[in-house]
Amino acid sequence: MNGVCVPGFDRLLDFMETGWQGNGSEIIYGVWPDFRLAYFNEGWVRFARENGGAPWLMSPECLGRSVLEVTTPELRPFYRELFTRAITTVTARPYSISHEYECSSAEIYRKFAMLLFRLKGGQGLLIANSLVVEMPHTVRGTVPVEPSANSAPYHNEHELVIQCAACRRIRHQQLEGRWDWIPAWVSQPPERTSHGLCDLCMSYYYPAKG
């Protein structure tokens, strides 16, 4: 399997028992049981480059660092539990766990499917991310909102804008439960931006709390 790999992890990939064959376009990475990055493919580099990722994400410098570092704090508990469950789950199917998530740009709605493969003896995970839906937000029916000169409705009492860490919508501070899609702020969030989870994403990622 082509890519950049730390010594020792390659033997787990050589002896993968899943029989899975990707289509070549997936974003694939591998982690040790403590979530340290041990492998990534060209798809990982391509996605980071196309989405403004930090330079260290596109070099071997990122190996050995926890993948949770590039996950927003609001979603770290979810992914920590997901990865742990995948490492400890033995099934008859090729992959241990699957998960779908949104990763949209300002103009394009994108949904990915994540397959988590438990490597030999639970010594690590191989994680493959495939694009399953891609369409302009306008085709999907999302109504964009353009921030006006008066953006006060989106600032809380601390003058912070709250963006959903998952779907990237912006919380309307004056209308309870309303989160707006503001393309300009997806491309370039205001300087004073904090993060949370909208009601829909909260119920998806943490159903017991939603």
Side-chain angles (χ1 to χ4, degrees), residues 40-176:
F40 61 87
N41 74 341
E42 178 56 34
W44 164 288
V45 176
R46 182 183 65 251
F47 187 81
R49 183 188 307 117
E50 292 174 352
N51 291 276
W56 65 267
L57 277 171
M58 294 172 263
S59 75
E61 180 185 347
C62 65
L63 294 173
R65 300 175 68 161
S66 172
V67 292
L68 296 181
E69 286 186 34
V70 294
T71 304
T72 60
E74 292 76 15
L75 294 176
R76 282 176 195 163
F78 172 83
Y79 282 105
R80 183 179 292 110
E81 189 278 334
L82 181 72
F83 292 167
T84 300
R85 185 155 42 96
I87 286 174
T88 57
T89 299
V90 180
T91 66
R93 62 190 178 193
Y95 56 91
S96 299
I97 300 289
S98 63
H99 166 62
E100 290 192 350
Y101 61 96
E102 180 182 346
C103 186
S104 298
S105 70
E107 298 81 19
I108 303 296
Y109 170 79
R110 296 180 302 209
K111 180 190 286 186
F112 286 83
M114 173 188 290
L115 298 180
L116 298 97
F117 298 88
R118 181 179 185 267
L119 298 178
K120 189 175 182 180
Q123 297 179 67
L125 289 173
L126 187 70
I127 303 165
N129 302 267
S130 301
L131 182 66
V132 293
V133 178
E134 183 176 55
M135 66 179 74
H137 288 288
T138 51
V139 172
R140 185 169 179 258
T142 301
V143 179
V145 175
E146 294 300 327
S148 64
N150 177 21
S151 58
Y154 297 101
H155 289 83
N156 66 13
E157 65 274 19
H158 304 293
E159 294 301 317
L160 290 172
V161 167
I162 308 300
Q163 184 179 59
C164 179
C167 71
R168 306 177 77 183
R169 285 168 173 77
I170 303 294
R171 182 177 182 177
H172 196 292
Q173 298 294 334
Q174 298 176 0
L175 298 175
E176 184 69 26

